[in-house]
Amino acid sequence: MTSIESVTLEVDDPTAAHRFYTSAFGLGDQVRVRASQAPTTGFRGFTLSLVVSQPADVNALFGAAVDAGATALKPAAKSLWGYGGVVRAPDGTIWQIASSSKKDTGPAARRIDEIVLLLGVEDMAGSKRFYVAHGIPVAKSFGSKYVEFATGSGSVKLALYKRRGLAKLVGVSPDGSGSHRLTINGDSGPFTDPDGFAWATASETASL
């Protein structure tokens, strides 16, 4: 089964970005950073999600991110599906912090259960076929709205969402151009998908 070992965010200031992700989320090697001056404007077409077990954990991570310099795009709140909020990191990456639970079952902790990479795509059916052809099987599919792939235990999860819908979900304009400033590091690359998202083999980025 294909796995995603990590994602690499291309940022203006790697030292500042590393400091933010360590301070705000306590992230390890699953999220890497490297320097890039590639031009990019507006929505970059993807989000990263931190999935946690309860609302108190959402609040803890949301607060830590804002304290470390993130911008709140959507305050943490209850919804039909659970509890969550959205922030934009200082490097421009949009993060969703969410729990499927609406009630706390213990003291707050900054423990992350899953990291999910959500790619905004123009042609859901075409992108789904592309990834299946590259050996990434579908785990869940909800028509043209959402597709989640099976990427193996412990790896970054991968899902697809319509680009305009994803922008609306996180509270930003869908307009954007230039580089995604993202590289996906897995064992099925290297390739570039129909929406311009670049994949590299994990060995290529192991030294980052």
Side-chain angles (χ1 to χ4, degrees), residues 2-7 30 117 151 154-158 184-187 199:
T2 294
S3 64
I4 300 176
E5 181 178 287
S6 64
V7 296
Q30 285 183 304
L117 171 62
T151 51
S155 71
V156 176
K157 288 188 174 295
L158 174 67
I184 306 163
N185 310 312
D187 53 14
W199 286 63

Side-chain angles (χ1 to χ4, degrees), residues 32 42 90 94 108 126 153 156:
R32 302 164 180 264
I94 295 174
S153 176
V156 176

Side-chain angles (χ1 to χ4, degrees), residues 183-205:
T183 300
I184 306 163
N185 310 312
D187 53 14
S188 63
F191 59 80
T192 300
D193 82 357
D195 292 277
F197 291 102
W199 286 63
T201 57
S203 59
E204 287 183 279
T205 54

Side-chain angles (χ1 to χ4, degrees), residues 116-133:
V116 181
L117 171 62
L118 195 51
L119 302 180
V121 302
E122 295 294 342
D123 178 1
M124 182 66 76
S127 293
K128 178 181 175 181
R129 286 195 300 270
F130 177 88
Y131 279 108
V132 169

Side-chain angles (χ1 to χ4, degrees), residues 6 11 16 25 31 35 52 56-57 61 63 79 85 97 102-103 110 115 135 147 174 178 183:
S6 64
V11 301
F25 301 145
V31 176
V52 299
D57 300 344
L61 288 164
S79 68
I97 308 170
K102 298 181 183 181
K103 295 183 178 180
R110 290 167 60 191
I115 299 175
V147 174
T183 300

Side-chain angles (χ1 to χ4, degrees), residues 13-52:
D13 186 338
T15 300
H18 183 269
R19 184 167 57 246
F20 170 81
Y21 288 118
T22 301
S23 174
F25 301 145
L27 294 175
D29 289 341
Q30 285 183 304
V31 176
R32 302 164 180 264
V33 297
R34 69 179 173 206
S36 174
Q37 299 296 322
T40 184
T41 61
F43 183 46
R44 295 180 188 173
F46 75 94
T47 68
L48 283 158
S49 296
L50 302 178
V51 181
V52 299

Side-chain angles (χ1 to χ4, degrees), residues 30-174:
Q30 285 183 304
V31 176
R32 302 164 180 264
V33 297
R34 69 179 173 206
S36 174
Q37 299 296 322
T40 184
T41 61
F43 183 46
R44 295 180 188 173
F46 75 94
T47 68
L48 283 158
S49 296
L50 302 178
V51 181
V52 299
S53 63
Q54 61 178 357
D57 300 344
V58 172
N59 291 336
L61 288 164
F62 191 96
V66 172
D67 288 346
T71 301
L73 296 179
K74 282 192 172 183
K78 287 183 180 179
S79 68
L80 290 175
W81 50 262
Y83 185 88
V86 183
V87 299
R88 180 187 282 118
D91 66 84
T93 302
I94 295 174
W95 290 82
Q96 300 185 66
I97 308 170
S99 171
S100 60
S101 174
K102 298 181 183 181
K103 295 183 178 180
D104 293 326
T105 57
R110 290 167 60 191
R111 183 180 63 253
I112 297 165
D113 297 330
E114 292 179 345
I115 299 175
V116 181
L117 171 62
L118 195 51
L119 302 180
V121 302
E122 295 294 342
D123 178 1
M124 182 66 76
S127 293
K128 178 181 175 181
R129 286 195 300 270
F130 177 88
Y131 279 108
V132 169
H134 280 76
I136 308 177
V138 173
K140 298 177 184 177
S141 181
F142 299 94
S144 63
K145 296 184 180 297
Y146 177 82
V147 174
E148 183 179 304
F149 295 95
T151 51
S153 176
S155 71
V156 176
K157 288 188 174 295
L158 174 67
L160 307 179
Y161 208 96
K162 291 287 286 186
R163 179 187 168 97
R164 294 188 69 85
L166 182 57
K168 182 178 180 180
L169 183 68
V170 297
V172 299
S173 166

